[in-house]
Amino acid sequence: MGVKPVCKVWGSQTAYTASEAEKKGVENSFRYKDGKLIVNSNKSGRSIARVIKPSNTTAQGIDVSYRQGDIDWEKVKNSGQVDFAIIRCGFGMNETKQDDSKWKYNSSECERLGIPYGVYLYSYADTVAKAKSEANHVIRLIKGKKLSYPIYYDMEEKTVLNSTNMTRTKAAQIAQAFFSTLEAAGYKNLGIYSNASRFDSKLADGKLTASIFNQYPKWVASYNDTCKYQGNYHMWQYSNVGTIDGISENVDLNFKIGNWTKAGFTPKKVTLDKTSLTMTTGTSKTIKAYDPANSAYKLSVQWKSSNTKIATVDKNGKITAKSAGKVNITAVLNSQAKATCQVSIAPKPTKIKSVKKSGKNGIKVTWNKVSGISNYQIYMSTKSKSGFKKIATISAQKTSYTKTKLKKGKKYYFKIRTAKKVSGRYYYSSYTAVKSIKR
């Protein structure tokens, strides 16, 4: 194993790897330096006074952590300045020592007072395995909680994002692992947090620019008069030096943009796990629909069959073969996104009941009747595993056939398949097990 490169933090004499920073609980980002909040009171104060509230703002809120100390949430609610709160539940991997010390209190108070809230986790993940652990960290802490705002993945840590090993692809894999783990546990109300430059593909800092980051709503930090991020976002953190009655320390201030009620992954494409399928009449199989950008997310699609006389499909993608033929099963996400599986259905097979000598030189073969077919095809050979030739095509109304002019003392092998003619084309069942007799 190689040695992890040390990430030098801007403006600091201290150097950490991501693991070391996590172990110490020290943040380094656009707003933290060696765990201390970066505050330029003159600039930040001027920015708050000059901030232009977006016209499509629908709510104002705060985000808090242990840094705000003991919050008097009744005063916060009565201040008239807070419509919602986003609460830090912890940082890093799933260890109790990395739970936010004020998480339980803050979340319980919001629930007691009816303040809508969501949650964020500060990430130090530089591998997929760590991202999954961070997701499980969130799952452990929010179990039984009544969140009405999203779960946000806070990806701002410089020891991670500024590492020479951290590519845009790797950052996407880390985010995907976090979101997929939460989605697999049933949590779909998800979003991503970072500062504006991290989402900008034109900048060297823009590590969070892969397609996955456009599939989840963004909570963007931009401490300016207007939000400097030019892409789509649903929440803007416009200051980190806000003052709210009931909170003794500075607090982050946010505008909710738009009238959304839930966040989370927005599917845009639909793919099926099977594009073709062979079935037998009377059987059932289930196919799955997913967005290739996030295969763990359970899509809500409308299922359709091109011919319900041949096959039906239920709301879960379960296909039931009704009759022999070909049919298209389609999953429809929207008018632009759909995917089709072509299903070929064979008729039901029969089963040989008996093979007996008949007359002086004949053998009579008897089989079970199968409904809904066109005919039975009888095959014979003098070898058990090869050399079979079709010797008769028998009406669907009959269940026996006698082959004559056979040689005495010779052993003969028989097998049968059913056939169904649909729109000028025949569909065939599997063959029966081979039965033999010595004449």
Side-chain angles (χ1 to χ4, degrees), residues 98-119:
Q98 295 183 175
D99 299 351
D100 190 288
S101 60
K102 296 298 180 181
W103 157 249
K104 289 183 179 179
Y105 169 75
N106 286 336
S107 58
S108 296
E109 282 294 278
C110 282
E111 290 188 9
R112 181 178 71 86
L113 295 167
I115 300 172
Y117 75 99
V119 61

Side-chain angles (χ1 to χ4, degrees), residues 2-28:
V3 178
K4 289 185 178 179
V6 172
C7 174
K8 293 183 178 180
V9 180
W10 175 85
S12 172
Q13 299 301 313
T14 309
Y16 298 106
T17 64
S19 296
E20 290 168 346
E22 178 179 3
K23 188 176 292 185
K24 293 177 179 293
V26 172
E27 306 103 320
N28 279 285

Side-chain angles (χ1 to χ4, degrees), residues 200-211:
D200 191 339
S201 61
K202 297 177 182 178
L203 300 178
D205 271 358
K207 295 290 182 71
L208 310 182
T209 56
S211 61

Side-chain angles (χ1 to χ4, degrees), residues 22 147 228-229 248 395:
E22 178 179 3
L147 281 76
K228 295 303 181 183
Y229 180 62
S248 59
S395 166

Side-chain angles (χ1 to χ4, degrees), residues 387-438:
F388 283 90
K389 293 183 179 181
K390 185 167 67 173
I391 58 173
T393 298
I394 306 300
S395 166
Q397 306 306 314
K398 296 184 178 181
T399 57
S400 68
Y401 168 73
T402 300
K403 173 63 177 173
T404 59
K405 299 180 182 181
L406 299 174
K407 293 181 180 180
K408 190 174 182 180
K410 195 166 188 67
K411 196 170 187 178
Y412 293 91
Y413 299 85
F414 296 88
K415 64 182 181 180
I416 305 172
R417 69 178 181 180
T418 64
K420 170 79 172 180
K421 191 175 184 180
V422 181
S423 301
R425 175 182 173 178
Y426 276 101
Y427 294 85
Y428 302 102
S429 73
S430 57
Y431 289 100
T432 62
V434 174
K435 296 288 186 180
S436 64
I437 189 171
K438 192 173 184 180

Side-chain angles (χ1 to χ4, degrees), residues 3-254:
V3 178
K4 289 185 178 179
V6 172
C7 174
K8 293 183 178 180
V9 180
W10 175 85
S12 172
Q13 299 301 313
T14 309
Y16 298 106
T17 64
S19 296
E20 290 168 346
E22 178 179 3
K23 188 176 292 185
K24 293 177 179 293
V26 172
E27 306 103 320
N28 279 285
S29 72
F30 73 99
R31 56 179 178 160
Y32 296 114
K33 178 181 175 183
D34 292 344
K36 295 180 180 180
L37 191 66
I38 300 170
V39 178
N40 181 327
S41 58
N42 290 332
K43 179 182 177 182
S44 297
R46 188 172 66 86
S47 294
I48 291 178
R50 295 178 56 179
V51 164
I52 300 171
K53 182 178 179 180
S55 60
N56 58 343
T57 297
T58 55
Q60 298 184 136
I62 58 175
D63 57 277
V64 300
S65 69
Y66 76 97
R67 291 179 178 276
Q68 278 67 49
D70 294 323
I71 297 174
D72 186 333
W73 283 99
E74 290 196 16
K75 286 186 177 180
V76 170
K77 182 177 181 178
N78 294 331
S79 70
Q81 296 176 275
V82 176
D83 300 313
F84 67 89
I86 309 298
I87 305 171
R88 190 180 89 149
C89 64
F91 64 92
M93 291 187 288
N94 189 14
E95 299 179 17
T96 55
K97 66 182 181 181
Q98 295 183 175
D99 299 351
D100 190 288
S101 60
K102 296 298 180 181
W103 157 249
K104 289 183 179 179
Y105 169 75
N106 286 336
S107 58
S108 296
E109 282 294 278
C110 282
E111 290 188 9
R112 181 178 71 86
L113 295 167
I115 300 172
Y117 75 99
V119 61
Y120 77 93
L121 179 125
Y122 189 97
S123 174
Y124 288 96
D126 54 6
T127 67
V128 164
K130 289 181 180 179
K132 290 179 179 179
S133 179
E134 289 187 339
N136 286 319
H137 192 177
V138 176
I139 291 168
R140 172 171 60 82
L141 291 174
I142 66 174
K143 186 177 181 180
K145 292 294 183 179
K146 299 175 182 178
L147 281 76
S148 51
Y149 272 67
I151 299 164
Y152 291 100
Y153 199 27
D154 182 350
M155 298 182 74
E156 62 178 285
E157 175 60 33
K158 282 187 176 181
T159 60
V160 175
L161 296 178
N162 287 4
S163 167
T164 55
N165 288 337
M166 185 54 60
T167 63
R168 291 175 177 180
T169 298
K170 189 173 182 180
Q173 292 169 344
I174 287 169
Q176 182 68 81
F178 179 84
F179 291 135
S180 295
T181 303
L182 280 158
E183 285 163 347
Y187 298 100
K188 303 292 180 71
N189 198 4
L190 310 173
I192 184 79
Y193 168 89
S194 197
N195 59 306
S197 64
R198 294 297 187 185
F199 295 123
D200 191 339
S201 61
K202 297 177 182 178
L203 300 178
D205 271 358
K207 295 290 182 71
L208 310 182
T209 56
S211 61
I212 187 65
F213 297 107
N214 294 323
Q215 299 292 330
Y216 291 87
K218 296 183 179 74
W219 172 18
V220 179
S222 178
Y223 302 156
N224 304 94
D225 298 352
T226 60
C227 184
K228 295 303 181 183
Y229 180 62
Q230 298 301 306
N232 294 322
Y233 57 96
H234 84 167
M235 196 146 72
W236 171 27
Q237 184 185 82
Y238 62 90
S239 177
N240 66 345
V241 290
T243 56
I244 299 291
D245 191 27
I247 304 177
S248 59
E249 304 293 331
N250 287 334
V251 65
D252 299 337
L253 302 177
N254 303 274

